């Protein structure tokens, strides 16, 4: 009991001495030991690394999970060391609603068929998003958190110890200075000077030892940057993979929707991006020309008059079909992937379309579904 009381009293005395020293320094009434320029530079770089790591971590969390309530829930699960429950992504939820709407509104109708196709694509997008979030969390967020909750806490602890050792050192210097001033007035203070000098030597040793420990930890920030650089590369790779998957899913969906009549009514965008090096406009411009579109009959008679259109005298070109295409009406020609057809253009035609012939069948075909052969 007596030992514990003495230790408490000693700790209280040390704390009080440090508080006095700190306060006097703030008011300019006491000298302060300054760290060297290199050490100060290491401290500044460490603080900057910590601050920017926090900002990047928080904003990446927002990117991966925009819902603040969901982020708070995930944070609580992590603090409780419990597995975060699987959460449905927004794309998967949209896919569910679209599939249910198609079932109720009629899956055999053009709208219902399109809803089902889009729902399937949204489901795949949601799954890709889930994989991206999982990969980014492991390869990027976790290392950043480990630095803030591990290495940085250790650095902060050692910096606090260094601050205390510096306060002890400066307090010892102040006591020695006072002892020497008193010694100049009376010889009775020799013991006090010796005691103050001994305390200063101990304080200086403790400070130097702690400064070296802290310096080594601060120099380790360079290794932290190397590790974060590697994690950043992995984050970019996972993000690239995610967006590439999204692009492929949407390209597949675009090709599928191109086979549904009226899917893109009112838009001038092609059903899918051209895969050949020749643009639709250039391809149409270089195609042999037949009779003008003005010579064709009204819509109701389009199929009949198209059959009567003869190939242009200047010749035709062969084209390979890239994707299946379902004709929207009798003026169009249905296509099968990899088949060869004869194509040519008519004056006044939309540059995104050509006239295609296969055997005794003839009709309009989209340029973006073709590879024009020389």
């Amino acid at each position: 009991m007596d030992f514990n009381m003495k230790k408490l009293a000693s700790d209280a005395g040390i704390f009080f001495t440090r508080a006095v020293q700190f306060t006097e320094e703030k008011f300019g009434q006491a000298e302060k030991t300054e760290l060297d320029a290199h050490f100060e530079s290491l401290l500044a770089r460490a603080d900057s690394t910590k601050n920017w790591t926090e900002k990047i971590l928080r904003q990446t969390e927002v990117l991966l999970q925009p819902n603040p309530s969901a982020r708070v829930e995930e944070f609580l699960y992590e603090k409780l060391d419990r597995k975060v429950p699987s959460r449905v992504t927004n794309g998967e939820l949209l896919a569910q609603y679209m599939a249910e709407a198609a079932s109720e509104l009629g899956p055999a109708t053009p709208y219902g068929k399109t809803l089902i196709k889009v729902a399937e694509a949204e489901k795949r997008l949601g799954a890709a998003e889930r994989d991206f979030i999982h990969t980014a969390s492991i390869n990027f967020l976790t290392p950043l958190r480990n630095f803030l909750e591990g290495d940085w806490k250790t650095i902060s602890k050692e910096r606090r110890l260094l601050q205390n050792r510096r306060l002890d050192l400066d307090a010892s210097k102040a006591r020695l200075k006072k002892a020497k001033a008193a010694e100049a007035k009376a010889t009775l203070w020799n013991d006090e000077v010796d005691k103050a000098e001994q305390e200063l030597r101990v304080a200086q040793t403790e400070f130097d030892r702690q400064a070296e420990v802290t310096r080594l930890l601060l120099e380790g920030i360079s290794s932290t940057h190397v590790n974060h650089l590697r994690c950043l590369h992995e984050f970019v790779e996972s993000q690239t993979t995610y967006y590439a998957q999204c692009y492929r899913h949407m390209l597949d969906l675009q090709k599928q929707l191109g086979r549904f009549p009226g899917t893109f009514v009112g838009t001038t965008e092609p059903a899918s991006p051209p895969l050949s090096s020749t643009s639709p406009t250039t391809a149409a411009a270089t195609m042999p020309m037949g009779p003008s579109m003005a010579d064709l009959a009204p819509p109701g008679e389009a199929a009949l008059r198209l059959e009567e259109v003869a190939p242009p005298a200047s010749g035709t070109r062969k084209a390979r079909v890239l994707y299946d295409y379902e004709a929207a009406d009798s003026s169009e020609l249905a296509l099968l992937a990899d088949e060869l057809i004869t194509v040519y253009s008519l004056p006044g035609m939309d540059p995104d379309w050509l006239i295609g012939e296969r055997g005794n069948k003839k009709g309009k075909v989209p340029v973006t579904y073709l590879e024009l052969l020389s």
Side-chain angles (χ1 to χ4, degrees):
M1 180 65 73
D2 290 342
F3 174 78
N4 291 335
M5 292 297 295
K6 290 180 180 179
K7 187 175 185 307
L8 289 174
S10 175
D11 291 344
I14 293 174
F15 177 80
F16 179 75
T17 301
R18 290 170 180 170
V20 170
Q21 177 66 26
F22 182 80
T23 303
E24 291 180 348
E25 289 175 358
K26 288 297 182 182
F27 285 100
Q29 299 173 353
E31 296 180 359
K32 176 182 177 181
T33 299
E34 299 293 343
L35 300 170
D36 61 73
H38 177 63
F39 203 104
E40 291 288 357
S41 176
L42 292 176
L43 289 172
R45 187 176 65 153
D47 289 334
S48 181
T49 300
K50 179 256 186 182
N51 292 335
W52 283 113
T53 300
E54 284 183 332
K55 291 180 179 179
I56 292 172
L57 173 64
R58 298 294 174 256
Q59 192 56 39
T60 306
E61 290 174 337
V62 172
L63 172 69
L64 299 181
Q65 179 50 265
N67 188 336
S69 299
R71 292 200 303 272
V72 171
E73 181 181 345
E74 292 173 0
F75 174 78
L76 292 176
Y77 272 101
E78 289 179 3
K79 290 302 179 183
L80 295 174
D81 198 20
R82 295 176 60 183
K83 183 179 180 181
V84 179
S86 179
R87 193 186 306 277
V88 176
T89 64
N90 292 328
E92 291 170 324
L93 187 59
L94 178 59
Q96 178 184 335
Y97 289 163
M98 286 185 170
E100 293 174 356
S103 177
E104 184 172 331
L105 300 176
T109 65
Y111 183 42
K113 289 180 180 179
T114 304
L115 277 173
I116 292 174
K117 291 296 183 183
V118 176
E120 292 172 352
E122 292 296 338
K123 186 176 181 180
R124 289 193 291 269
L125 290 174
E129 181 185 4
R130 183 192 302 279
D131 292 341
F132 167 57
I133 292 174
H134 177 71
T135 303
S137 296
I138 293 176
N139 295 339
F140 191 58
L141 292 185
T142 297
L144 297 187
R145 289 197 189 100
N146 289 343
F147 166 70
L148 293 173
E149 297 175 2
D151 294 349
W152 182 253
K153 285 188 175 180
T154 301
I155 292 173
S156 298
K157 176 184 176 183
E158 297 301 328
R159 286 178 67 174
R160 288 193 296 271
L161 287 175
L162 178 62
Q163 172 74 346
N164 290 336
R165 296 291 181 260
R166 187 197 61 76
L167 290 172
D168 293 342
L169 174 62
D170 290 336
S172 297
K173 289 179 179 179
R175 282 195 296 271
L176 178 59
K177 186 177 181 180
K178 290 178 181 179
K180 286 185 175 181
E183 182 185 34
K185 296 180 180 180
T187 57
L188 301 176
W189 289 84
N190 286 332
D191 292 343
E192 290 296 329
V193 172
D194 292 341
K195 181 179 178 182
E197 288 177 343
Q198 176 63 24
E199 289 178 352
L200 178 58
R201 285 192 292 270
V202 172
Q204 185 69 58
T205 301
E206 293 293 332
F207 172 78
D208 292 341
R209 182 186 298 114
Q210 186 58 40
E212 183 62 23
V213 170
T214 307
R215 185 191 301 273
L216 292 174
L217 288 174
L218 293 174
E219 290 174 345
I221 290 293
S222 296
S223 299
T224 299
H225 287 183
V226 172
N227 182 45
H228 287 184
L229 174 61
R230 177 183 58 81
C231 297
L232 186 59
H233 277 283
E234 292 179 354
F235 174 71
V236 171
E237 286 297 323
S238 63
Q239 199 169 30
T240 302
T241 300
Y242 167 59
Y243 286 123
Q245 289 175 337
C246 291
Y247 174 76
R248 287 196 298 270
H249 294 326
M250 294 310 297
L251 193 61
D252 290 342
L253 175 63
Q254 193 179 41
K255 288 188 289 186
Q256 293 179 50
L257 294 186
R259 297 200 292 268
F260 287 98
T263 301
F264 291 115
V265 171
T267 179
T268 58
E269 293 296 325
S272 63
L275 300 184
S276 65
S277 59
T278 307
S279 68
T281 303
T282 305
T286 58
M287 289 304 301
M289 292 292 184
S292 169
M293 287 293 286
D295 296 335
L296 300 181
E301 304 176 11
L304 176 63
R305 296 301 298 274
L306 276 173
E307 293 293 336
E308 297 175 357
V309 172
S314 58
T316 60
R317 290 184 66 174
K318 290 292 184 180
R320 185 185 306 279
V321 178
L322 299 174
Y323 324 113
D324 292 348
Y325 178 74
E326 183 177 339
D329 54 45
S330 58
S331 69
E332 297 182 4
L333 179 66
L335 303 174
L336 294 175
D338 295 326
E339 69 174 335
L340 293 176
I341 63 172
T342 301
V343 295
Y344 53 89
S345 182
L346 298 176
M349 279 191 68
D350 186 325
D352 290 334
W353 295 83
L354 294 172
I355 299 298
E357 291 187 2
R358 181 182 59 244
N360 60 352
K361 294 184 179 181
K362 183 184 304 182
K364 296 187 299 181
V365 293
V367 174
T368 53
Y369 278 66
L370 304 175
E371 178 187 2
L372 297 177
L373 305 177
S374 58

